[in-house]
Amino acid sequence: MPHTMDPSAERTLNLTKAETLIEALPYLQRYAGRTFVVKYGGHAMGDPELARDFAEDVVLLKAVGINPVVVHGGGPQIGAMLKKLGVESRFVDGLRVTDKETADVAEMVLSGAINKELVGWIAGAGGKAIGISGKDGGLVTASKVRRTTKDPDSNIEQVVDLGFVGEPETVDTAIIETCCAAGMIPVIAPIAAGSDGATYNINADTMAGAIAAALGAARLFLLTDVAGVLDKDKQLLTDLTPSDIARLQADGIISGGMIPKLETCVHAVEAGCEAAVVLDGRVPHAMLLEIFTSRGAGTLIRA
């Protein structure tokens, strides 16, 4: 006997679905025609099921008239490829020192393997994605990152040469706008050329923040491996301003890898992006829950 649902239970389920769509209506109206920049990375990238969910979310956004722009990272994958090729990695204050050989591998992994894999996931979900890097169409011009570190013995500041590690200096959004207008979803690898002609590897969060600011995006989403920003009792903080963030950092509640992420969010909202969200990329469809429900799912930062 085929199992059929009790008619009243089925009606209730269908009604719940309809109510979910109705709840989403004001958000759909608010964001129609707007741009969302999504930084995709962390462990969510290595999980095929989460990758499929992510691709479906992005295709759904495009289908309801929002323009999603994806920027992806790939630190673990670059590390794995360097190991496979026997290239030694050196880190200074958590940043990989990128010599010419490492830069070539980073470009190969980011603009090649990862970028095209993501384009494939989006195509599989029924979308049309186009994979580019900061080099394409003059999207991003990079400048070399300058870092200083204090010598623990003498307390003297020393300049650290991180090699081919860059940060976005200028952003020309023409290629993104062209892709979006043609019904495409741009998938961007965080690689760019400098005015010196060299190829630079850019932190994906930083790249996404700069692109979100230049586009005047309605939202910047940073998908990470944590639930968002937590208070001292490990409760999720849902709304923060730049001054809240400065206070929490001074109190030591925000620390480690969350600091640069939040700095990226603050820079983006102060430079033209309406709001930024730190979200748990391990939660299925976290982005849709954040956008289309009143409760949200992460930490929202706005000026």
Side-chain angles (χ1 to χ4, degrees):
M1 284 285 288
H3 176 72
T4 52
M5 191 186 274
D6 164 38
S8 68
E10 194 171 351
R11 264 198 307 276
T12 307
L13 182 66
N14 289 339
L15 192 59
T16 306
K17 285 179 182 171
E19 281 167 353
T20 304
L21 289 169
I22 294 298
E23 187 187 353
L25 179 63
Y27 304 103
L28 291 168
Q29 289 168 321
R30 184 191 306 169
Y31 297 126
R34 303 298 309 279
T35 302
F36 286 179
V37 175
V38 187
K39 152 52 181 20
Y40 180 62
H43 295 300
M45 283 180 84
D47 182 329
E49 206 155 309
L50 288 173
R52 199 174 292 115
D53 285 346
F54 171 76
E56 286 170 354
D57 290 2
V58 167
V59 171
L60 183 113
L61 292 179
K62 190 72 180 173
V64 298
I66 294 165
N67 290 313
V69 174
V70 178
V71 179
H72 64 81
Q77 290 91 333
I78 294 168
M81 182 58 82
L82 289 169
K83 200 171 165 187
K84 200 187 255 181
L85 297 171
V87 180
E88 285 290 315
S89 285
R90 199 160 62 80
F91 289 87
V92 175
D93 294 338
L95 289 165
R96 191 194 305 274
V97 177
T98 306
D99 57 16
K100 179 77 179 82
E101 195 177 7
T102 306
D104 289 346
V105 172
E107 182 167 24
M108 177 175 80
V109 172
L110 291 166
S111 294
I114 295 176
N115 190 275
K116 297 307 170 234
E117 190 181 330
L118 264 175
V119 166
W121 282 118
I122 291 169
K128 280 188 178 167
I130 183 162
I132 59 175
S133 78
K135 288 182 171 182
D136 293 292
L139 171 57
V140 172
T141 307
S143 59
K144 190 177 165 79
V145 163
R146 307 265 171 222
R147 282 284 188 277
T148 57
T149 186
K150 270 203 172 109
D151 184 292
D153 302 325
S154 63
N155 224 10
I156 294 169
E157 291 246 320
Q158 293 173 322
V159 176
V160 182
D161 187 354
L162 292 167
F164 296 97
V165 176
E167 52 199 356
E169 190 176 325
T170 62
V171 180
D172 177 348
T173 57
I175 188 169
I176 294 179
E177 283 151 9
T178 303
C179 292
C180 290
M184 307 271 186
I185 296 165
V187 177
I188 304 166
I191 297 280
S195 47
D196 56 1
T199 295
Y200 288 94
N201 189 5
I202 297 173
N203 174 286
D205 289 344
T206 309
M207 183 94 158
I211 289 170
L215 285 167
R219 286 286 182 275
L220 164 65
F221 294 98
L222 296 185
L223 294 179
T224 68
D225 297 336
V226 292
V229 182
L230 307 177
D231 65 15
K232 59 180 186 298
D233 301 322
K234 298 284 180 263
Q235 296 301 306
L236 181 69
L237 295 165
T238 53
D239 280 273
L240 293 176
T241 62
S243 56
D244 293 334
I245 289 166
R247 195 186 67 245
L248 291 165
Q249 198 176 327
D251 294 345
I253 291 165
I254 296 171
S255 60
M258 190 53 84
I259 293 173
K261 284 195 188 302
L262 290 172
E263 281 174 355
T264 296
C265 292
V266 170
H267 286 315
V269 297
E270 288 178 346
C273 174
E274 274 175 30
V277 185
V278 178
L279 259 188
D280 192 342
R282 301 164 305 180
V283 173
H285 304 297
M287 208 162 43
L288 299 187
L289 295 172
E290 172 59 38
I291 303 160
F292 297 129
T293 64
S294 50
R295 285 193 57 227
T299 301
L300 183 83
I301 295 107
R302 57 177 135 208

